[in-house]
């Protein structure tokens, strides 16, 4: 099968790899029809993780079931399915509570597993023609009858739509409230869409890239340009000096300001921009260690946090990757009913063999490269 393989920092290539296959009775084999490049893939692409060379990338996957293991009962050949980026077993202590992003079975020794991701287990990614799905009955979301017609919408259920929604859940967004979202990348844009779905009264999205801010505005948000580093003051002005009711961090540890990484920038801006007793949801990736960081604290996975201000303002912070299965079925219903159209942020739809070029442009934040989806077999 053709697959995109990680070969080292900023070097990926499409090559022939052994076909994915059924390995256990509860496995499902999927022919991938759409797979996305995620901002989290760039952490590995840039060499900022312990990703092993020779591994297949890709954790935002959708396709058609072509084979099932002998132990699979619910999923059938021919089903069109979307796969949560989290791999869950369905029966451990965390999965039983709906916390599938922290499965205790799929990746022994660590809470959480994912496709084609550093430190998240041995599972191959789906930027390929075929994907093995473990615990298939549990992990496959069978899509509605309009799945083929709205495939570019449904593939967003694999990660960014649920992750954006998760940011609003962690922040505690309620109807009528004001929300500030740091980051107008795909996840931040999905947080804006989710806040809109929830009936937020005022949605503000902060970024420095004009093309991304334009998309935020198209989604009904107020774009806030942080090129001068004064975004928190702008949010205070937009909220009458009080601050936003809720804040979402959708950038992570590689946040930059005027060309330099400032890992604590978004968090401290949110502490300033969110009102006293407000809530902050953090879904941007922060790692346990980052040896290649410029900042000494960041090398050890630490931040210089304005904790005194956080404490004095009585704010609440909740963090962590999205438990996709907690949301994907409900969000699929919104897509099917025409209540949400996450595909509107897609900028490029490319064949799999164009993936190396896509990674390069997405990594460089080339104007107009906001969300890339790949079509294996096209």
């Amino acid at each position: 099968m053709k697959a995109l393989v990680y070969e080292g920092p900023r070097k990926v290539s499409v090559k022939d790899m052994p076909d994915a296959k059924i390995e256990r009775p509860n496995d499902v084999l999927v022919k991938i029809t759409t797979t996305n490049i995620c901002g989290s893939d760039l952490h590995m692409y840039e060499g900022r993780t312990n990703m092993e060379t020779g591994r297949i990338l890709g954790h935002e996957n959708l396709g058609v079931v072509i084979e099932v293991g002998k132990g699979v009962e619910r999923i059938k050949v021919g089903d069109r399915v979307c796969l949560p980026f989290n791999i869950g077993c369905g029966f451990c202590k965390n999965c039983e509570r709906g916390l599938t992003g922290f499965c205790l079975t799929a990746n022994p020794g660590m809470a959480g597993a994912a496709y084609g991701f550093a430190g998240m287990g041995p599972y191959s990614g789906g930027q390929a023609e075929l994907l093995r799905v473990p615990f298939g009955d549990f992990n496959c979301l069978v899509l509605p009858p309009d799945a083929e017609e709205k495939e570019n919408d449904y593939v967003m259920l694999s990660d960014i739509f649920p992750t954006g929604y998760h940011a609003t859940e962690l922040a505690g967004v309620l109807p009528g409230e004001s929300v500030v979202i740091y980051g107008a990348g795909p996840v931040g844009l999905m947080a804006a869409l989710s806040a809109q779905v929830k009936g937020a009264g005022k949605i503000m999205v902060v970024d420095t890239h004009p093309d991304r801010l334009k998309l935020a505005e198209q989604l009904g948000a107020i774009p806030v340009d942080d090129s001068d580093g004064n975004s928190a003051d702008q949010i205070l002005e937009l909220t009458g000096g009080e601050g936003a009711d809720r804040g979402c961090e959708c950038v992570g540890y590689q946040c930059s300001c005027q060309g330099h990484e400032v890992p604590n920038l978004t968090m401290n801006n949110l502490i300033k921009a969110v009102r006293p007793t407000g809530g902050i949801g953090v879904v941007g990736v922060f790692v346990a260690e980052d040896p290649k960081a410029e900042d000494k604290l960041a090398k050890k996975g630490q931040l210089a946090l304005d904790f005194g201000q956080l404490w004095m303002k009585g704010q609440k912070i909740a963090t962590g990757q999205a438990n996709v299965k907690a949301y994907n079925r409900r969000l699929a219903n919104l897509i099917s009913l025409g209540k949400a159209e996450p595909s509107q942020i897609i900028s490029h739809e490319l064949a799999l063999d164009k993936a190396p070029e896509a990674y390069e442009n997405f990594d460089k934040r080339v104007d107009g490269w906001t969300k890339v989806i790949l079509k294996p077999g096209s």
Side-chain angles (χ1 to χ4, degrees):
M1 69 178 185
K2 298 288 185 183
L4 184 86
V5 178
Y6 175 73
E7 297 185 326
R10 291 189 166 87
K11 187 177 181 182
V12 293
S13 63
V14 177
K15 56 175 60 176
D16 289 316
M17 296 291 285
D19 284 352
K21 61 183 181 180
I22 299 291
E23 297 179 15
R24 295 184 177 181
N26 58 8
D27 286 349
V28 165
L29 187 64
V30 173
K31 178 183 178 182
I32 297 295
T33 54
T34 305
T35 177
N36 307 337
I37 299 177
C38 179
S40 296
D41 289 326
L42 297 182
H43 303 316
M44 293 169 286
Y45 177 73
E46 294 169 0
R48 296 290 288 270
T49 69
N50 60 353
M51 187 65 169
E52 308 93 333
T53 58
R55 288 193 62 189
I56 301 170
L57 296 176
H59 59 270
E60 298 188 8
N61 307 308
L62 181 151
V64 178
V65 175
I66 60 172
E67 187 180 351
V68 299
K70 293 180 179 179
V72 175
E73 298 183 359
R74 183 176 67 91
I75 304 302
K76 304 291 187 284
V77 170
D79 285 345
R80 193 169 292 267
V81 296
C82 187
L83 296 320
F85 77 90
N86 333 101
I87 300 172
C89 67
F91 53 78
C92 73
K93 184 186 300 184
N94 284 344
C95 284
E96 283 183 344
R97 296 166 58 204
L99 304 175
T100 55
F102 302 88
C103 177
L104 300 171
T105 303
N107 187 15
M110 181 177 173
Y115 303 98
F117 209 92
M120 301 293 282
Y123 305 99
S124 291
Q127 288 171 7
E129 293 177 323
L130 299 171
L131 179 69
R132 170 190 166 237
V133 179
F135 307 104
D137 272 330
F138 182 68
N139 287 305
C140 291
L141 175 68
V142 179
L143 296 170
D146 61 354
E148 190 169 5
E149 173 192 349
K150 295 183 177 180
E151 182 159 323
N152 289 356
D153 289 304
Y154 286 117
V155 71
M156 303 305 176
L157 296 172
S158 59
D159 182 352
I160 64 167
F161 194 8
T163 296
Y165 193 88
H166 188 55
T168 66
E169 285 284 286
L170 293 176
V173 175
L174 295 173
E177 291 190 321
S178 58
V179 185
V180 57
I181 297 163
Y182 270 82
V187 169
L189 293 171
M190 290 297 97
L193 176 61
S194 299
Q196 190 178 65
V197 165
K198 286 186 165 192
K202 180 180 287 186
I203 304 167
M204 299 157 283
V205 177
V206 181
D207 208 296
T208 60
H209 296 275
D211 56 337
R212 296 183 173 195
L213 288 171
K214 184 178 179 181
L215 281 173
E217 190 171 19
Q218 290 174 7
L219 287 169
I222 299 170
V224 177
D225 189 342
D226 197 28
S227 299
D228 294 333
N230 66 347
S231 58
D233 291 328
Q234 293 184 63
I235 300 305
L236 290 171
E237 184 176 345
L238 286 166
T239 55
E242 181 180 306
D245 296 305
R246 310 290 172 177
C248 298
E249 203 292 332
C250 301
V251 181
Y253 74 107
Q254 287 187 266
C255 176
S256 62
C257 180
Q258 299 179 344
H260 298 282
E261 283 192 11
V262 187
N264 63 345
L265 181 64
T266 52
M267 290 301 303
N268 287 337
N269 276 338
L270 279 164
I271 290 170
K272 182 177 180 180
V274 171
R275 68 168 172 81
T277 72
I280 298 171
V282 184
V283 296
V285 174
F286 288 88
V287 292
E289 58 179 13
D290 181 18
K292 296 185 180 180
E294 299 173 7
D295 183 83
K296 289 183 180 180
L297 285 176
K299 288 180 184 290
K300 299 182 287 184
Q302 300 172 355
L303 293 178
L305 194 68
D306 290 340
F307 193 82
Q309 286 297 318
L310 173 73
W311 191 91
M312 291 296 293
K313 295 177 78 171
Q315 295 167 330
K316 298 179 177 64
I317 295 179
T319 70
Q321 65 173 273
N323 306 295
V324 172
K325 279 184 64 67
Y327 312 118
N328 63 356
R329 192 174 298 277
R330 283 183 286 152
L331 298 180
N333 289 339
L334 290 178
I335 292 170
S336 183
L337 293 169
K339 302 290 187 180
E341 188 183 342
S343 65
Q344 62 189 290
I345 72 167
I346 294 171
S347 59
H348 293 77
E349 181 177 320
L350 304 171
L352 181 63
D353 62 5
K354 299 294 185 182
E357 171 191 342
Y359 265 88
E360 181 179 1
N361 284 291
F362 192 42
D363 181 54
K364 291 179 178 178
R365 309 298 195 271
V366 173
D367 187 60
W369 287 76
T370 52
K371 183 62 177 178
V372 181
I373 65 172
L374 304 171
K375 298 287 187 176
S378 67

